[in-house]
Each structure stands twice: as structure tokens, then as C-alpha cells.
Amino acid sequence: MVSLRDFLSDDFLYPMPVTMHDHYDFKSIEQDAQQDWDHGALFNATEDGAKEKFYCLAMFPYPSGKLHMGHVRNYTIADVIARYQRMLGKNVMQPMGWDAFGLPAENAALANNVAPAAWTLSNIDYMRGQLKALGFGYDWSRELTTCLPDYYRWEQWLFTRLVKKGLAYKKTAVVNWDPIDQTVLANEQVIDGRGWRSGALVERREIPQWSLRITDYAEQLLNDLDTLDGWPEQVRAMQANWIGRSVGVELHFAIEREIEGAEALTVYTTRPDTLMGVSYVAVASQHPLAKQAAESNTELAAFIEECRHTKVAEADMATLEKKGLPLGIDAIHPITGEKVPVWTANFVLMEYGTGAVMAVPAHDQRDFEFALKYKLPIRPVIAPLSWKAHLNCPIQAIEHIQLMWTDGIPKLLNMESGSVLNWDTWNDVFAEKGVCVHSGTYVSHPILRQQISRAFDGLDFFRAFDEITAHLEAHGKGHKKINYRLRDWGVSRQRYWGCPIPVINCPTCGAVPVPEDQLPVVLPTDVEMNGPQSPIKSMREFIDTTCPVCGGKAERETDTFDTFFESSWYYARYTSPGNDSAMLDERANYWLPVDQYVGGVEHAVLHLLYARFFHKLLRDEGLVAGDEPFKRLLTQGMVVADTYYREDAIGKKTWYNPADVTPELDDKARIIGAKLIEDGLPVMVGGTEKMSKSKNNGVDPQAMIDRYGADTVRLFMMFAAPPDQMLEWSDSGVEGAHRFLKRLWRMVFEHVARANEFAPTHDANPVGANLFAQHDLEPAQKAARRKLHETIQKVSDDLGRRQTFNTAIAAVMELLNELGKLDDSPASYTIRHEAYLAVTRLLAPIVPHIAEALWRALGQQGMVATAPWPLVDESALVRDSIDLVVQVNGKLRGQFSVAADASREVIEQAALADEKVQQFIEGKAVKKIIVVPGRLINIVVA
RNA sequence: GCCCGGAUGGCGAAAUCGGUAUACGCAAGAGACUUAAAAUCUCUCGAUCGAAAGAUCAUGCGGGUUCAAGUCCCGCUCCGGGCACCA
């Protein structure tokens, strides 16, 4: 049996110094704790093979000016995890840095006339101070800033390696072009199809750009998702969908008449079983065939021009009204030899697959709608699988399933079962995989008809897939192909504030990567932004250079990398700080993979996929050993707040900060309106939205820290919602968190103040004497100790496995409520002491400053940040009796207490004997009794 | 449009493996302390009916499975995130 002594520190027996102030002075408490951590260099990590390592990482911030609540939430979650793991005895490394390249610096430069570099660096200084004030335990010696050459030189180096391996290549890609500002726009800079500054109608423009062959890694990126069992299922699903592996057929439609550069149209389909139902082929408006046809067709040319003004975002494409025009060209069906018209349609993307699709209106909703709109034929060739039960062989398929037409609308009739499918409106059944019918009978070519008539009838999807594919292959018209929705990653940006792409364009040698000894290509920072154009695009001293291959005159690439480039490998660089001769060194393999990664769900696909891709690139470069960068992932929800606004006569909204508004409540405390404090007049209540500048509903973390302290802010953030859900800001919730800390402080203060009364000396300890025998405790004291150790168990599980910090805090609150009810006896005093020592450590990861002060006040040496996590005393968890509830027909009717080891028979008898239960089963036959051990008994009566 | 989430008291939420729905906190109300206020402490607090005991109804909506459903299945509604140049 474990003795209670094992769970009490030796210091417990010493008299405790009463040096505690009765007032919770968070300012000095937080300053002192932060100073102590600094002096002890507590969070600076070194590689130590003897200890289990734990690499905890929160997504680094973009230095936009000051921290917002989303950051505070993100970093608090990560810090809680890091501090918890440290107390478990692990060698914890938690770094911080700055994702310092990006568009906002350019916008700020234009608005305030400051250089992006200066703006960014001063933001970093301010935000670093804020992070320190929040008490996050970072190893600042590893701090990195992506806009500095000592960081980005290594991604330039990696890129040149990728160019040599053929993993980086140049191709044309579509961008949003602002014809007035003469610049490329980001999707967010395009508002209602117009440039945000110029108001010009934005065009789609194709320009040559660098791409990375992420599609070469598609299979690995997909397969390795299965190994990421520490990731949320939801994120893995999103990535799998994004990669979008499909098995299909690539096939060719010949073009009826010779057209230069396009002798055949290649399309990809996952539904070759519907091939016999193709009634037209659609190509992108930028497809060479469409461009050709437009030369002699002004209507077509106008349509193509119109398509140039759609935004490049997929969401905009998807909600677009489907439009198209015939090219006046026919394609030859690869099996039947029939002519089908070629159309151009605005929903077909040139950069997606082959830029052409085959259309089967009978079995694809989008094709169906398009066919109805433009009166194109609809040919049903698939009957529902359920119809197959009636069909015994291919010949019968034809005989029993009849195709009829009314005003050009087809109908399938199953003569055996009487079922009918009518193509007058769309039905999702049409798109389901079924049985091929009429797949060959309409063929017009007399010889072909004989050969293939009825060839595919009666086949189900899989057999039809195989036979049609085999037929195409045999005739050289197509082949099976695995396709990915994932496209190669275009990394060129025509912007200034980014990492220069290390390439020299030579008129004779082409695009040449900058040689290793000439890296880094440093981005000039002494620039003036006097327009939206990147200043380096006209900076001759940057551009003019010589070709490293031929030595002739050449020009530097002025495009910069997508900022996802920097964030794709920063997690690895943290492991090798200060190395100026290599991107990474052997320290990377000590720390990697990241054990815990924490960041917003909004990064679930792009950033996390790119980082996984980069990790595989680094692996193939021999720089890291593992396959995946992030072992466990926590995606945290957004921070939202109420919004308030007023609308003026022309409908323009002015948003008011929640701090400047008083909500009005009805007698049930529901919000019915709000008034602006300044003028006392009403404002509109706009609902709860993500904290943002545009809605002016942001709450400044700094103001909260000043008013309540970092611990209160941290506690509120962790308590108000589980980490993966959205968090609603609430001023009174923050006050509640502060109140809890004050209460905790006071409870410990009162406890410490009585130290001399109860625990005077080591030797003559009257308390210790009756403590070591657990069974000497009163039932209430036993219950309190059980609660304490149940709480230790729960908090450990909540912080470790479950990562539900809100329930961990609630459990501690419950415990403190129980302790408050305990009597004043010496034994109770000791239990309280044991409890406060535990509670201080349980809360230390969440509210580390106050925990340090309490730890000291409770007479402990050293810092709680490195104290060992409390252990569970299993013997304290043992119960003599348990409470069970009784249900009759599933409804709660009574409850009683039995010995913990009571047999099933005893429990059943006790349940049946219960007075209230008797009332409900009286005169009825008991059919069944269900006993759920430790929980309930359900008596089922007739 | 496509993919992924979410919805439980007046509010934020809990219920971890299908087993006592509403823990913990906020707000509100009553009381104590105080010259007073703040702070603090104590109590009440899902709805309906009832004097009470208690009963019935409640986890976005409509069905289903089960002895038992907030939890599982089918079909909806509304809200949020991502959609490749915001990070």
C-alpha cells in the first residue's frame, strides 16, 4: 500500500513562512515570475539524448502590428501543452519567430509611406514584448525572422536544388491583372471583379511562372495521411479531398477537320461507362481550339473576352452562371465514330487537367443543365443498379429497358418492373453508377455498328470501366489513368515584399538558377513604395547582372516566392539556429518531428499540405530523417465577438467597437438592442463574427493584460470553450476568470496564515501522525481526498490525451468548491495542504505566474514551472460504496447506494425493492433487468 | 457550387465507449457584511402543471434503430471555415 507520505513533499512538514500578501497583486507577481524564468534561462532548450524530447510549436504570427486575440488563444494553448510536458519531465523545446513577408507590409507602406522592412521589424519588436508579457515559455535563442537573408537564403538554396532536380519548372499560369495599376492582384484585392485601388475591371492573364511538382508527391502525401493518427480526422479528410485521387480514363476525340496544333482533343473522365452517352465536348475558353475558332467568329471572340474578366478563384467559378458557345467544329467519338459538337464553356478551366471535358448530360448534373439550356441531346446510357435484379443477361437489357422520347426529353422504362426515369428534371439517381443500357445501339456507322452494337449493355460500372478502357486501348484511343485534383504549386508572386526567386534570365541560356556561392539574392530594403508596382521591377541595379553560365548580360528574376514558401520549413529551421553553413544540421533529427503543432483550422489544407510536401523534399535532400513533420496537430477555432453598426442614408455601415457600446437586455437577459456610450443613441446589433478590423469588433489583448493580468487572459481563453471550437469573447467571462484567481489566492493565503497553528515543526507534527493512516479520516475527509486524486487524474487526461483545457479548469474549480466545505480539523488542514500543492501544479501550465507565487507561499523551493507533475494516489480513489440509479422503462425512478463489490443479484434485489420503483412496476410483469455496472439498472416492464 | 465542421437553459458550455442531460462558469434574483457603494460570502435559478410530494415535456427540425439516443442511422434547416495570389 502506498503511504500518503509519498504524495507529500518533505517540505510539507516544515513550518511555512507566512510571507504572502493578502492582495492578489498580479502586476508584481507576473513581473517577478517572468524575471525568474529569464534568469534561470528556463525555456532555453539543448539537445539531451538522455531525456525524452518534446517539440511544441504554435504557428508563427505574421507581424501585422500587434497581437490579436486569435494569437493569444493559439499561443496559450501551445504554452499550456509545453509547460505540462515539461512538468512531466520531458526535454521541451518551444520556439517562436516571425512569418515576416507578405502583402500587408506593402499595403502599410502605401498607406503610411514607410518601407515594408522598417514597418515589419518595428512590429516584431512590439509584438515580441507582448508575447513576453503573456508569459509564454519560448526559447528566444532560436527566434527566426523570415524576411532576413540568414533565413531566406536557405530556401533560395533549396529552390536551386529543386530546379536542378526538375522539381521546379516554369509554365504559364493565370493571374488577376489590373489593367490600370498594371499589376497582378491577389484574390483578396479583387472586389466584385474590380481592382480594389483602381476600380478597373480585372482580367485573367497568363504569365510564365515557377511551379513546384507537388503532384509528383501526391501519392505519398495521400498515403502518409494514414500514418497521422495524431491529426484531427477532419483535417485528414480535407487534405485527402484536396489531393482528390481518382481512377479514370484519358481518351482522345479526333477533330473532324485539320486545325493547326490540335489534331485531337484529350479529355479525362472517371466515368468511362458513360462514354456512349457523350453528346458534346466542352473546352476552356483559353483552349487553343477555342482561340482558333474565334478568329473567324466575332461572337465567340466576345465570349472569350468576357471569360477573361472572371476572377480566378474556384469558388467564383463554381457559382458562375454556366454559359457556352459552339465552336462550329465537330469531334469524332472514339468508339462510335459519331460526330459530336465541340463547345466552349466558362466552367471548364484551362489549367485544370487537359482543358477539355466530355459531356454526358444524362448522367452529370452540370452537363444536364448546360444541355437543357442550349438544347443539346441527352442520351441515357445507364440504368439504376436496382434494375439489374430484373435483368439476366445483356440481351435482355435491351429488350426490357426501353428508351422513349417526348419533345426531345428521354425516358427510360423498365418493362419488367414498371419503373420509369424521366429526364425532364434532374434526379440524383441519374449520376449513380449503374448498368449500361443502349450503349451501342444508336451507332450510325454501318460497319462499326455491327462490331460493337450492344457491346456494353448489361455491364455494371466496374466491368463497363474495364471493357470500354480495353476497347479504347486496343484502338489507341485512350488509357487508364490515375488523376489528382491537386495541381502543381505556383510559387511566383509579382510582389515586392517576399523572398527573391534566385534565378537569372539569360537571353541565350534561359532561366538559370543562381549558383550556390552567389546566394543569397538579397531583397533591397531601402525602397520607396510609390505605387502598387513592386519597386524592384524597375530597379536596374537589382535587375542587371551577368549570366553565371555564359557570362553574358542577363537579368535577375524580379518575382518573389509565395509566402507559403517560408512557412513550409520554418519548423525545421528552429532546430538548427545559428548555422550559417547549412540549411539544417544533425540537431534537426534530435528534435523532429514536431510533437505538437497548434494553429488555426483555416490552415487545414494549404499551409499544412505545403509543409508536409517540403518535409518530403527535405527528406529527399537528405536533410531530415522522417516522412512527416507534425506528429500531433491541434486546430484551434476562431475568436469571435459581437458586432455593432449604424447605417447612413446611402447604406454605408460604420462599425462600433463592443467596448464603446452598452447592450440592452430584456427581463430574461436577452440582447434586444444596444446604445453607443458616447451619444446614448441606439446602434444596430450585427451578430457575432470573427474579430476583425473591418467589423471593428476586436478586443485589444494589451488592454486586457493591463487591466487583469496575463494569467486572467490565459485562464479565460482556456476556460471559455474547448480549443477546437470557436470562442466568443465575453467581458464578464474575463471578470469571472479574474475572480477565480482572486479566490484561489485568498484561499491559499488563509491556509498559509494558519500554518503555525497546524504544522509547527517537523518532529512534533500532530497532523502528520493521523494522516498516514487513510482509514482514520472522516468520511467527508476521505471524500475530499478522493475528489483531489480524481481531479489530478482528470486534469492529467484533459491536458494530455483529450486537450480539453476547459474541462480541466472546471474540474479544479469543483475541487476548490469541495475543499471550501471541509471542516477546520488538523486532518482537513493537511488534506487542504496536499490539495493546494496539487492544484498549484495542475494550474501551473495555464496560469503560470500566480502558480509560481503560490508555490513559494506554500513553502516550496524552486520553480513550479519545473516541478514534477502531481501523482495520483490510487488508494485514495477506492470507494466503499457506489450510488446507482434505477430506471423503469428507461425513465429515472429512484436511486440507492450499494457496496462497491455487491453482486448483480444483490443489486437487482435492491433495485426491485426500492419504494419508488415499486410504484411503477406494481402489477406489471418484469420482462428484463439490465444492469450497467457502476451506473444504473433499467427494469423493463410490460 | 464543392469539401469540412457546428447547433444543448437567459448566455459560454459539460456529459470522454449508447447508460442519472444541463457539471463548471457568466448573467439574473434574494439575503449577509457595510453609514453607503464596491468587493466578498450564502442561497435560488431549463419549461409547464402542482400547496406539496411529484408528474410531464425538453439537447436546431422530421423520421428510424435500441431496454436505453445529446451521442448511432436516414432526410432537412440554419450558422461557420476552406476553395489554390490573405496569412
Side-chain angles (χ1 to χ4, degrees):
Chain A
M1 176 143 170
V2 189
S3 118
L4 181 54
R5 187 181 261 282
D6 298 338
F7 296 94
L8 295 177
S9 132
D10 285 344
D11 298 327
F12 162 74
L13 298 169
Y14 299 142
M16 291 168 292
V18 185
T19 56
M20 202 175 169
H21 203 277
D22 67 337
H23 171 65
Y24 169 46
D25 178 7
F26 62 83
K27 280 210 167 88
S28 68
I29 289 169
E30 295 186 356
Q31 258 175 25
D32 290 351
Q34 285 166 19
Q35 254 172 35
D36 288 349
W37 298 329
D38 263 359
H39 285 311
L42 220 63
F43 306 118
N44 286 13
T46 47
E47 299 70 30
D48 176 358
K51 270 171 126 184
E52 190 182 344
K53 66 94 185 177
F54 191 90
Y55 181 1
C56 183
L57 181 67
M59 290 180 185
F60 64 168
Y62 177 80
S64 54
K66 48 189 184 179
L67 288 186
H68 56 70
M69 282 298 175
H71 291 131
V72 177
R73 190 177 191 197
N74 190 187
Y75 303 141
T76 303
I77 292 168
D79 196 46
V80 170
I81 295 169
R83 285 173 178 272
Y84 171 64
Q85 294 292 336
R86 181 174 293 105
M87 292 176 77
L88 289 180
K90 295 191 187 155
N91 188 24
V92 172
M93 194 264 278
Q94 190 184 206
M96 184 42 71
W98 310 96
D99 189 12
F101 276 135
L103 206 48
E106 292 185 31
N107 297 337
L110 286 172
N112 314 322
N113 205 28
V114 280
W119 182 82
T120 302
L121 294 175
S122 82
N123 286 349
I124 288 173
D125 277 339
Y126 182 75
M127 289 170 75
R128 190 191 297 108
Q130 287 192 300
L131 291 175
K132 289 187 173 172
L134 280 157
F136 299 132
Y138 297 132
D139 179 351
W140 285 106
S141 73
R142 293 168 188 268
E143 179 179 7
L144 59 80
T145 306
T146 62
C147 66
L148 300 178
D150 64 354
Y151 179 82
Y152 66 68
R153 60 180 296 188
W154 297 110
E155 67 190 43
Q156 291 181 336
W157 170 80
L158 183 72
F159 180 79
T160 62
R161 302 278 306 160
L162 297 177
V163 172
K164 284 169 196 152
K165 283 183 169 176
L167 285 169
Y169 66 101
K170 252 187 150 167
K171 68 163 185 185
T172 61
V174 185
V175 295
N176 300 309
W177 178 256
D178 184 324
I180 291 183
D181 276 345
Q182 291 285 298
T183 187
V184 175
L185 299 179
N187 278 334
E188 72 158 12
Q189 297 174 313
V190 182
I191 296 149
D192 298 328
R194 291 173 182 275
W196 66 335
R197 293 169 59 87
S198 68
L201 264 184
V202 167
E203 297 171 9
R204 292 157 67 87
R205 181 173 275 207
E206 291 188 356
I207 57 172
Q209 302 193 64
W210 287 94
S211 272
L212 298 191
R213 287 193 204 280
I214 191 171
T215 50
D216 278 13
Y217 285 75
E219 195 78 42
Q220 282 186 55
L221 288 166
L222 183 66
N223 292 340
D224 288 352
L225 282 177
D226 293 339
T227 68
L228 298 176
D229 47 16
W231 281 40
E233 198 49 59
Q234 151 211 173
V235 175
R236 290 197 278 172
M238 279 195 254
Q239 292 217 348
N241 288 330
W242 187 259
I243 295 167
R245 183 183 195 268
S246 63
V247 180
V249 171
E250 191 171 79
L251 56 110
H252 316 290
F253 283 76
I255 303 299
E256 59 146 356
R257 62 180 147 97
E258 281 294 305
I259 288 179
E260 209 185 325
E263 54 284 347
L265 266 179
T266 302
V267 304
Y268 176 81
T269 178
T270 55
R271 291 295 302 275
D273 59 318
T274 64
L275 181 56
M276 305 308 281
V278 168
S279 54
Y280 61 100
V281 176
V283 300
S285 64
Q286 301 301 309
H287 195 278
L289 211 55
K291 285 182 177 169
Q292 278 272 331
E295 281 170 18
S296 54
N297 182 336
T298 51
E299 199 193 351
L300 205 50
F303 177 72
I304 292 171
E305 176 60 23
E306 189 193 322
C307 289
R308 292 209 314 136
H309 291 291
T310 359
K311 215 173 143 186
V312 295
E314 193 198 325
D316 298 276
M317 300 296 299
T319 48
L320 213 59
E321 192 198 340
K322 315 276 177 289
K323 280 189 197 168
L325 277 178
L327 295 184
I329 301 168
D330 285 336
I332 312 295
H333 191 286
I335 291 183
T336 65
E338 243 195 348
K339 285 182 183 175
V340 291
V342 180
W343 281 60
T344 181
N346 60 357
F347 57 83
V348 182
L349 295 173
M350 191 59 217
E351 52 277 4
Y352 207 87
T354 58
V357 294
M358 68 178 216
V360 186
H363 303 292
D364 179 280
Q365 187 169 6
R366 191 175 57 185
D367 296 345
F368 176 77
E369 280 158 15
F370 196 80
L372 276 194
K373 183 168 179 178
Y374 293 107
K375 307 261 182 299
L376 290 156
I378 300 167
R379 291 174 176 157
V381 290
I382 305 287
L385 203 57
S386 59
W387 287 14
K388 193 173 179 169
H390 302 277
L391 311 170
N392 300 318
C393 69
I395 298 301
Q396 281 189 328
I398 300 306
E399 284 167 357
H400 291 290
I401 296 179
Q402 294 219 342
L403 184 55
M404 289 177 45
W405 301 81
T406 333
D407 300 331
I409 300 294
K411 230 185 250 184
L412 273 188
L413 294 100
N414 182 341
M415 307 307 280
E416 269 190 356
S417 66
S419 310
V420 180
L421 283 182
N422 191 348
W423 266 260
D424 57 348
T425 51
W426 179 256
N427 179 340
D428 286 340
V429 171
F430 300 160
E432 285 170 11
K433 289 167 183 172
V435 190
C436 291
V437 293
H438 297 281
S439 293
T441 51
Y442 62 84
V443 176
S444 55
H445 193 287
I447 301 164
L448 278 175
R449 179 184 183 121
Q450 219 176 2
Q451 286 174 345
I452 65 138
S453 176
R454 297 178 175 176
F456 308 116
D457 285 343
L459 300 182
D460 66 11
F461 170 77
F462 298 99
R463 287 184 55 206
F465 187 108
D466 290 343
E467 293 204 13
I468 290 176
T469 307
H471 187 278
L472 290 168
E473 270 172 10
H475 293 79
K477 297 274 179 64
H479 57 275
K480 185 170 166 178
K481 196 185 172 191
I482 290 169
N483 202 47
Y484 297 94
R485 201 186 77 99
L486 180 70
R487 313 201 285 261
D488 274 343
W489 175 15
V491 295
S492 293
R493 297 292 181 269
Q494 295 68 40
R495 281 180 242 297
Y496 160 68
W497 192 233
C499 168
I501 296 180
V503 164
I504 291 164
N505 297 310
C506 170
T508 44
C509 310
V512 178
V514 175
E516 202 174 328
D517 59 7
Q518 290 175 32
L519 291 176
V521 177
V522 176
L523 180 74
T525 50
D526 187 20
V527 295
E528 248 181 77
M529 296 278 296
N530 38 28
Q533 267 274 4
S534 164
I536 58 170
K537 295 221 172 274
S538 53
M539 192 182 280
R540 292 320 307 185
E541 60 271 37
F542 178 76
I543 297 167
D544 293 329
T545 186
T546 52
C547 172
V549 177
C550 68
K553 275 195 169 178
E555 294 195 338
R556 244 178 233 296
E557 177 72 64
T558 54
D559 280 0
T560 51
F561 283 132
D562 178 5
T563 55
F564 274 124
F565 219 93
E566 286 82 52
S567 57
S568 294
W569 68 284
Y570 78 110
Y571 66 89
R573 181 65 186 178
Y574 280 133
T575 66
S576 307
N579 192 330
D580 58 5
S581 61
M583 188 176 193
L584 300 174
D585 54 47
E586 69 286 350
R587 289 174 290 174
N589 284 329
Y590 173 79
W591 290 113
L592 291 173
V594 172
D595 294 278
Q596 176 70 61
Y597 197 32
V598 185
V601 235
E602 64 272 23
H603 298 289
V605 176
L606 292 181
H607 161 63
L608 287 167
L609 190 70
Y610 292 145
R612 292 182 58 222
F613 169 49
F614 253 64
H615 196 80
K616 292 172 198 301
L617 294 175
L618 295 173
R619 177 200 61 194
D620 293 348
E621 210 38 67
L623 293 165
V624 297
D627 290 327
E628 286 289 335
F630 312 120
K631 203 162 154 189
R632 194 172 182 193
L633 174 70
L634 194 159
T635 49
Q636 115 249 359
M638 302 177 308
V639 181
V640 299
D642 292 331
T643 57
Y644 303 95
Y645 66 92
R646 276 183 195 156
E647 216 165 350
D648 67 13
I650 56 161
K652 194 174 180 249
K653 285 175 180 173
T654 310
W655 299 88
Y656 297 98
N657 196 279
D660 304 326
V661 169
T662 324
E664 295 177 310
L665 308 177
D666 67 6
D667 53 357
K668 289 250 176 159
R670 278 179 289 235
I671 295 186
I672 47 168
K675 282 185 172 149
L676 190 65
I677 293 168
E678 197 181 293
D679 57 14
L681 298 171
V683 291
M684 304 295 288
V685 179
T688 314
E689 295 197 50
K690 180 175 174 171
M691 283 191 181
S692 70
K693 262 187 195 156
S694 62
K695 295 284 161 67
N696 190 17
N697 62 340
V699 175
D700 184 10
Q702 199 58 52
M704 292 295 138
I705 297 167
D706 294 345
R707 190 156 162 202
Y708 300 105
D711 281 341
T712 294
V713 175
R714 294 172 61 122
L715 180 66
F716 169 73
M717 289 254 136
M718 302 306 278
F719 181 63
D724 56 348
Q725 264 174 53
M726 107 184 152
L727 184 151
E728 239 170 272
W729 184 263
S730 144
D731 287 329
S732 52
V734 178
E735 275 169 39
H738 191 65
R739 196 148 51 217
F740 171 77
L741 293 180
K742 281 198 288 191
R743 182 160 165 249
L744 173 69
W745 183 268
R746 200 183 51 252
M747 285 175 86
V748 174
F749 172 79
E750 281 167 6
H751 173 78
V752 163
R754 302 183 71 183
N756 293 327
E757 204 178 314
F758 287 103
T761 62
H762 182 286
D763 297 323
N765 187 337
V767 182
N770 66 19
L771 250 189
F772 300 123
Q774 161 78 190
H775 39 266
D776 285 352
L777 297 176
E778 304 281 327
Q781 294 166 339
K782 245 182 189 173
R785 255 202 110 226
R786 185 171 63 234
K787 183 76 183 171
L788 164 62
H789 286 276
E790 281 170 354
T791 304
I792 295 173
Q793 202 169 42
K794 175 158 177 62
V795 171
S796 306
D797 192 41
D798 285 352
L799 260 46
R801 180 183 62 91
R802 295 218 305 153
Q803 300 184 324
T804 52
F805 312 104
N806 54 329
T807 53
I809 296 164
V812 173
M813 286 173 167
E814 268 185 72
L815 173 65
L816 290 179
N817 288 346
E818 294 265 315
L819 291 176
K821 292 177 195 154
L822 221 49
D823 64 22
D824 247 355
S825 67
S828 293
Y829 187 86
T830 314
I831 291 168
R832 266 199 217 101
H833 194 68
E834 184 193 9
Y836 290 139
L837 285 174
V839 163
T840 302
R841 283 176 289 166
L842 295 179
L843 291 178
I846 298 162
V847 285
H849 309 90
I850 191 174
E852 292 293 355
L854 295 176
W855 188 242
R856 203 156 305 170
L858 287 163
Q860 301 302 303
Q861 308 291 310
M863 278 177 267
V864 75
T866 51
W869 192 249
L871 294 170
V872 176
D873 177 1
E874 298 287 341
S875 68
L877 298 176
V878 175
R879 287 169 181 273
D880 304 330
S881 67
I882 45 174
D883 295 327
L884 292 175
V885 298
V886 194
Q887 296 180 337
V888 178
N889 283 349
K891 289 198 174 182
L892 183 65
R893 296 303 181 192
Q895 56 187 33
F896 63 97
S897 190
V898 292
D901 55 359
S903 69
R904 191 191 159 102
E905 287 70 32
V906 171
I907 291 170
E908 281 185 18
Q909 288 314 308
L912 288 168
D914 188 279
E915 202 180 312
K916 279 172 199 153
V917 173
Q918 282 290 326
Q919 288 172 26
F920 285 91
I921 60 174
E922 204 174 11
K924 290 168 185 161
V926 175
K927 284 169 70 180
K928 206 187 209 178
I929 301 180
I930 289 137
V931 178
V932 182
R935 292 209 178 262
L936 59 70
I937 296 99
N938 190 9
I939 300 169
V940 186
V941 294

